[in-house]
Each structure stands twice: as C-alpha cells, then as structure tokens.
Amino acid sequence: MGALNLTIQVRNVPPAMTAADLATYFSFCGTVDKIQLQRNKDKPQSAQVTFRQPFAFRTALLLDNATVYGQPIRVAPWEGDIKDDQEETWHDPAALHPDEA
C-alpha cells in the first residue's frame, strides 16, 4: 500500500507571502512538514503544502476561498509531483532526519 498524499495545492497566494508565512497560516490546521512556493514576481503565486496528519490535510481543504493578505486563496488536493528545484522551500526542522538537521 502506498503512502498517503497529504499535500495540498494553494493557488492565488499573495505576492507578499513567504513560505514561512504559509507555514504559520496552515499550522493552525496541524503539523506542516514542507512547503514549496513558486514565486511569480508581483503576480499571485502557488504553493504545495505537505502535512504530517490526515486531519490537518482535510482541515486545510476547508480553507478554500479564505481571504489571506486581502485576496482569496484556492486550496485543493495536490495531484502532481513535488519538485525540489522550486524558488522557496520551507521544512519543519522537527520533521528533518538527524543527519539532515
């Protein structure tokens, strides 16, 4: 049996938001393991947010159309592959393996 995909796609992320801001925002849903943010200069951005628990993933999906920094974000399950070459990546230090910390 494969691992659960606990990653959401967040679209229309305000340009002023950083990966750390997204981590703080979504931490109210549960433990955030990783965020990858694709920057688009002064245009809205997109991000993939990976959670540790299924309930955090499900709770985050309820934030679809929530207003963040004055604009609505779009939240949906992520169905693509996560790439490690994105502009800005945030990892929960507690989620890193001892040899990666």
Side-chain angles (χ1 to χ4, degrees), residues 16-84:
M17 280 194 97
T18 66
D21 293 334
L22 282 166
T24 299
Y25 182 79
F26 283 105
S27 70
F28 293 100
C29 299
T31 305
V32 175
D33 273 342
K34 182 178 181 180
I35 293 180
Q36 291 189 297
L37 178 65
Q38 292 80 44
R39 292 212 169 266
N40 262 341
K41 299 204 179 198
D42 293 330
K43 298 177 184 175
Q45 314 171 92
S46 64
Q48 291 80 42
V49 180
T50 303
F51 294 95
R52 194 173 297 169
Q53 308 97 344
F55 73 83
F57 169 81
R58 290 189 303 271
T59 301
L61 292 175
L62 297 174
L63 295 173
D64 184 41
N65 218 28
T67 301
V68 180
Y69 284 33
Q71 74 184 47
I73 58 171
R74 301 305 315 220
V75 179
W78 175 248
E79 296 179 6
D81 292 327
I82 300 294
K83 298 177 183 172
D84 287 328

